[in-house]
Amino acid sequence: MALQNKLVALDEELLRYGSLVVGFSGGVDSTFLVSEAYKVLGDRVLAVTIDSVFCPQSETQGAKELAASIGVRHKVLKVNPLNDKIIASNPQDRCYYCKTKIFSELLALAKSEGCAYVADGSNVDDDKDYRPGMRALRELQIVSPLRLAGLTKSDIRQLSKIRQLPTWQKESAACLASRIPYGEELTIEKLTRVEKAEAYLMPLQCKHLRVRSHGDIARIELGSEELTKIMAEPFKTQLIAYFKKLGFKFVTLDLEGYRTGSLNEVLQK
């Protein structure tokens, strides 16, 4: 389907909803969806950003600024997934329980706001990875307009560039829980440590970046073309000292480099 036809299909889908709450992280997909929904539905769309320990504060602040620049109505909803013992235990299907909790909160908010539907920013490419959270969306009848319109991540970036949205080149920013192996208990301390570790690496301006936490081991994933940046002195020595101050005993560099969902690799064996 041609890109323009997909955009027409998206607008028709949005019009059909009438009013909408959109889960808005400030990433590529949700920003484009909010922008398009606002264009089609105006004040009948409400963008809602979840503020939780799973999300870096820089991302929450960025979502606030993006919503203001778009002009859409926006709310920040504070949720603590760790109150749920199943989520905190970090099972392989953690995302299912987490999405169920978060989108149940969004459904309640939509009802109080008089909005008919709740939407997320899933696209066609999201079917390719291990995503147990998709089951929660189906069960709760959350709509995914981008996916229903046949839009891929590449399509969304292209359309975002045309619309001059600042997120068109933004890299994916998965929740902080995705940095910790399944089965290892999630705590505020562990999540905060990962957030601080990744923030420390931001000055390198790496296109791809993750710090995976394996107990007292930090495993740093970077794009293959960026591995030399982290080895330059004095940054390398300062980095090691800072990570150890955060509580890591060993600081390692993954020679395979960055790849989406690397902690899911154990599920494929």
Side-chain angles (χ1 to χ4, degrees):
M1 187 188 299
L3 188 59
Q4 186 58 38
N5 292 339
K6 293 181 182 181
L7 186 58
V8 170
L10 174 61
D11 288 352
E12 289 175 348
E13 190 71 19
L14 293 169
L15 277 171
R16 186 175 68 82
Y17 300 144
S19 58
L20 191 65
V21 163
V22 180
F24 178 53
S25 67
V28 180
D29 301 326
S30 66
T31 298
F32 176 71
L33 177 56
V34 163
S35 175
E36 192 66 16
Y38 181 62
K39 188 190 83 170
V40 173
L41 298 173
D43 287 339
R44 289 176 292 163
V45 60
L46 172 64
V48 180
T49 300
I50 300 299
D51 179 8
S52 83
V53 292
F54 284 8
C55 180
Q57 285 303 300
S58 59
E59 292 294 315
T60 302
Q61 181 58 37
K64 292 178 182 178
E65 294 168 2
L66 280 167
S69 68
I70 292 168
V72 69
R73 289 194 300 142
H74 181 235
K75 287 192 174 186
V76 176
L77 183 62
K78 196 165 185 65
V79 178
N80 185 4
L82 296 183
N83 286 338
D84 186 313
K85 291 182 180 179
I86 296 178
I87 297 173
S89 70
N90 198 18
Q92 292 180 2
D93 56 352
R94 175 201 70 242
C95 194
Y96 165 74
Y97 295 100
C98 192
K99 292 285 189 186
T100 298
K101 182 178 182 65
I102 288 172
F103 279 93
S104 293
E105 296 272 3
L106 289 178
L107 284 167
L109 179 60
K111 184 176 180 180
S112 69
E113 292 284 339
C115 291
Y117 291 87
V118 173
D120 87 311
S122 298
N123 64 67
V124 172
D125 293 335
D126 289 324
D127 292 336
K128 299 176 182 177
D129 193 16
Y130 174 68
R131 294 182 183 270
M134 299 297 282
R135 177 161 64 97
L137 300 183
R138 290 193 298 270
E139 290 177 358
L140 294 172
Q141 297 184 313
I142 305 301
V143 296
S144 302
L146 302 176
R147 187 166 168 266
L148 290 171
L151 288 160
T152 65
K153 176 72 80 173
S154 176
D155 292 333
I156 295 163
R157 288 192 185 280
Q158 188 176 342
L159 288 168
S160 296
K161 184 178 182 181
I162 293 170
R163 296 287 170 80
Q164 297 184 320
L165 293 172
T167 50
W168 76 274
Q169 281 187 306
K170 185 176 181 179
E171 291 302 315
S172 299
C175 84
L176 293 171
S178 68
R179 315 311 199 256
I180 298 172
Y182 297 119
E184 183 179 329
E185 183 184 8
L186 301 174
T187 65
I188 292 175
E189 291 73 24
K190 290 176 184 177
L191 296 165
T192 301
R193 182 171 66 168
V194 168
E195 180 178 0
K196 288 180 178 179
E198 292 190 352
Y200 189 84
L201 294 172
M202 289 301 176
L204 293 180
Q205 296 183 320
C206 295
K207 187 176 180 182
H208 304 294
L209 166 66
R210 291 287 186 272
V211 176
R212 312 288 186 185
S213 174
H214 299 263
D216 56 10
I217 300 173
R219 176 169 61 87
I220 303 170
E221 294 180 11
L222 299 172
S224 57
E225 72 282 3
E226 298 167 330
L227 295 178
T228 55
K229 290 183 180 180
I230 204 169
M231 298 302 293
E233 294 289 5
F235 185 83
K236 184 185 77 170
T237 298
Q238 294 168 348
L239 163 69
I240 293 170
Y242 181 74
F243 274 40
K244 288 190 173 183
K245 185 178 178 181
L246 290 177
F248 291 112
K249 292 183 180 179
F250 305 96
V251 184
T252 68
L253 185 60
D254 191 321
L255 296 183
E256 283 192 78
Y258 169 83
R259 61 264 190 214
T260 301
S262 69
L263 291 178
N264 291 336
E265 292 169 3
V266 297
L267 305 178
Q268 301 167 7
K269 295 180 179 179

